[in-house]
Amino acid sequence: MRLVAVIGALAGLALGSGTAFAQAFDKPIKIMAPYAPGGNIDVTARIIADKLREVTGTTVIVENKAGASGMIGSDIVARSAPDGTSLLVSANSLVAVPAIYGNAPYDWRTAFTPITHIQRVPAVLVVPPSSPIKTLADFIALGKDGKFTVADSGVGTTNHLAIELIGEATNTKYTLVHYKGSGAAMIDVMAGQVPAQVDQLNAAIGNIKSGKLRAIAVTSDKRVPQLPDVPTFKESGVKGLENFTFATFTGLFGPAKMPPEVVAKINEAMVKVLKDPAVVRRFADLTAEAYPTTPQETAAMFDAEDKMVVPLIKKLQIKPE
């Protein structure tokens, strides 16, 4: 029997009818987006919150608490009661940031309960419309002396690590400007104060389509349908990027020691949310792919990320600023 079916059967036994299921969520749910508004995490949290209100029949609030590359907001959830009312939306950076700071207030492996994967999205290199950079080769050429400035959404975020991975692959280096969220970084890039940015495509696509930013290349395996004229990194012809792909994936977590029945209840609700055609379409419109996973599968994804990025962080000796 498929796990989703098992979860559904257990939830049916525990909660009864659909009405009882909705009534079981008798307290408001707060979803922490531990970065500033406007970025990938914030956008993701708000999309799922809208539908989760309908599915659970309860109030769902999104709270932004930026700082320390997401650790401040994440720590609030880690210290919350494990009753399902305090949840965290986090990306790959959940495992990277503690490795960079070294003195994180929590161990991500023991401080949180994985609930489900939410969505994944490629990154995009963007520049102001007036930029002389026309191709990815142009951008790589500017990274030879380490002086060219690139914005990201914070130390240890997936945007930051994407730039480091690009540098590793092409033997280039950039002067990185770490913001408290991609929204603030994007404002400065659009204003021409910083000449380039790597960001999640779902956070940047609105400004790309409106002409406020120009996309140079995307890190997906194939061109995205929403931007058919924007090449992939693999198409760039740049040595070292022939097979380069990268994606930010997001997951939903709760505090440690959540009761299994509460985890199952929220997972079931999120399966409904992430399979809803309107939610799938909203993410697809932002070039992101929505799909739920089991708590065990979610934990495995983040564990694999840990094994990939932590050695890179140590090799490059990435430290907080």
Side-chain angles (χ1 to χ4, degrees):
M1 182 181 290
R2 293 182 179 177
L3 184 57
V4 171
V6 173
I7 292 173
L10 291 174
L13 290 172
L15 302 174
S17 66
T19 300
F21 176 81
Q23 291 175 343
F25 290 88
D26 56 359
K27 296 180 181 179
I29 297 172
K30 181 184 292 183
I31 298 178
M32 175 64 70
Y35 294 93
N40 176 56
I41 295 296
D42 177 63
V43 171
T44 297
R46 295 182 188 282
I47 289 176
I48 64 169
D50 287 345
K51 188 64 182 180
L52 197 58
R53 292 186 189 100
E54 296 180 25
V55 170
T56 63
T58 193
T59 301
V60 181
I61 302 167
V62 175
E63 178 180 358
N64 297 95
K65 187 71 70 173
S69 292
M71 287 197 297
I72 292 176
S74 299
D75 189 47
I76 291 173
V77 175
R79 296 173 183 273
S80 299
D83 58 3
T85 63
S86 183
L87 304 176
L88 170 71
V89 172
S90 192
N92 322 44
S93 51
L94 182 71
V95 306
V97 169
I100 290 170
Y101 278 77
N103 61 343
Y106 52 78
D107 179 344
W108 73 270
R109 294 177 181 277
T110 58
F112 303 104
T113 299
I115 297 173
T116 183
H117 173 275
I118 301 172
Q119 56 92 349
R120 62 184 175 189
V121 63
V124 61
L125 172 65
V126 293
V127 297
S130 60
S131 172
I133 299 172
K134 303 298 182 183
T135 67
L136 188 57
D138 293 340
F139 173 78
I140 297 301
L142 292 168
K144 297 302 181 182
D145 61 7
K147 296 180 180 179
F148 188 76
T149 305
V150 183
D152 65 49
S153 55
V155 176
T157 61
T158 51
N159 298 332
H160 172 201
L161 293 177
I163 300 169
E164 300 287 14
L165 288 168
I166 293 165
E168 278 286 288
T170 59
N171 195 30
T172 54
K173 190 171 182 60
Y174 303 89
T175 296
L176 304 183
V177 182
H178 304 300
Y179 287 78
K180 293 181 179 180
S182 65
M186 197 175 299
I187 289 172
D188 280 0
V189 174
M190 289 188 293
Q193 296 181 25
V194 184
Q197 178 185 6
V198 171
D199 197 5
Q200 286 92 2
L201 186 51
N202 60 346
I205 192 168
N207 287 317
I208 294 169
K209 288 189 170 183
S210 69
K212 295 177 181 178
L213 291 171
R214 179 154 47 84
I216 300 298
V218 293
T219 63
S220 49
D221 185 60
K222 299 178 181 179
R223 294 193 184 198
V224 298
Q226 297 86 348
L227 299 172
D229 296 330
V230 179
T232 67
F233 273 56
K234 293 169 60 175
E235 294 178 277
S236 67
V238 174
K239 184 178 179 180
L241 299 178
E242 299 88 348
N243 297 303
F244 186 90
T245 61
F246 181 83
T248 296
F249 56 82
T250 57
L252 185 68
F253 295 81
K257 300 181 179 179
M258 287 178 64
E261 63 273 17
V262 175
V263 176
K265 183 173 68 173
I266 299 174
N267 181 277
E268 184 195 11
M270 286 300 298
V271 168
K272 294 176 181 289
V273 168
L274 294 171
K275 289 191 173 184
D276 181 82
V279 172
V280 172
R281 185 167 56 252
R282 287 186 70 184
F283 278 123
D285 288 344
L286 295 171
T287 70
E289 178 187 5
Y291 67 92
T293 59
T294 67
Q296 294 78 14
E297 289 168 337
T298 307
M301 292 175 66
F302 281 81
D303 183 64
E305 183 74 7
D306 179 86
K307 289 179 171 63
M308 180 180 74
V309 303
V310 172
L312 174 66
I313 290 167
K314 292 179 177 178
K315 176 184 177 181
L316 299 179
Q317 297 183 335
I318 300 173
K319 302 293 183 182
E321 295 184 341

